[in-house]
Amino acid sequence: MTTTTPARTTARMAALVSEIRTVVDRGLAPDLTAYLVGERVAPHLGTADLLTPEQREGYPDRYRQHVLHAEPDGSFSVVALVWLPGQETAIHDHVSWGVAGVHEGEESELRYRLVPAAGESSARLVATEQVVNGPGEVCGFAPPGDIHKVRNSCSTKAISLHVYGADVLRLGSSVRRVYTLPTD
């Protein structure tokens, strides 16, 4: 994944950032913040004027991250992820609450539960749910318990908009940990 500096902000993106700021500034619990931010993101998904042409470009060998906005106080970031068919993340979790909405295409998310080591058995991940999100669909999360893997599950480009309660420009990513444990 590559982090890029925002090229420019569309008027629609500027309006969305303002709506997100209003929610984040309330200082609510992470899960409620994610829910309310998701409500603000949903109406903007699928609109032609949300992203610039440059912010819709992917990479042939891996998904691409375009940072669209990082709040100066570090309280949130807005990112577009561009996925070509079959591209996927590693199994991971996040440093903060987050919202993901599908702008174009389709994404599959496989969610996991961490089973700690017990006795002689090693820690492992157990798949708990498979979710497929299409255009306009939004999901939110708040750690802990946000372990998942995401992939473009359609035959065309997929673009999703992600909002994280952290400064991904400073951190380089929203990922807290990548999991390499065995999976069931």
Side-chain angles (χ1 to χ4, degrees), residues 2-25:
T2 299
T3 301
T4 57
T5 312
R8 72 176 174 88
T9 300
T10 65
R12 180 177 288 275
M13 181 57 64
L16 176 55
V17 165
S18 179
E19 292 176 41
I20 294 168
R21 183 179 298 118
T22 298
V23 171
V24 172
D25 285 351

Side-chain angles (χ1 to χ4, degrees), residues 71-84:
E71 192 70 355
D73 68 2
S75 60
F76 72 92
S77 300
V78 182
V79 176
L81 294 183
V82 181
W83 317 71
L84 299 182

Side-chain angles (χ1 to χ4, degrees), residues 101-137:
V102 177
H103 182 62
E104 175 183 315
E106 183 177 275
E107 290 180 359
S108 293
E109 177 189 17
L110 184 54
R111 298 176 182 167
Y112 294 90
R113 175 176 53 88
L114 177 62
V115 177
E120 293 188 26
S121 66
S122 300
R124 68 185 195 289
L125 295 170
V126 175
T128 60
E129 186 177 15
Q130 172 83 32
V131 178
V132 178
N133 291 312
E137 294 185 298

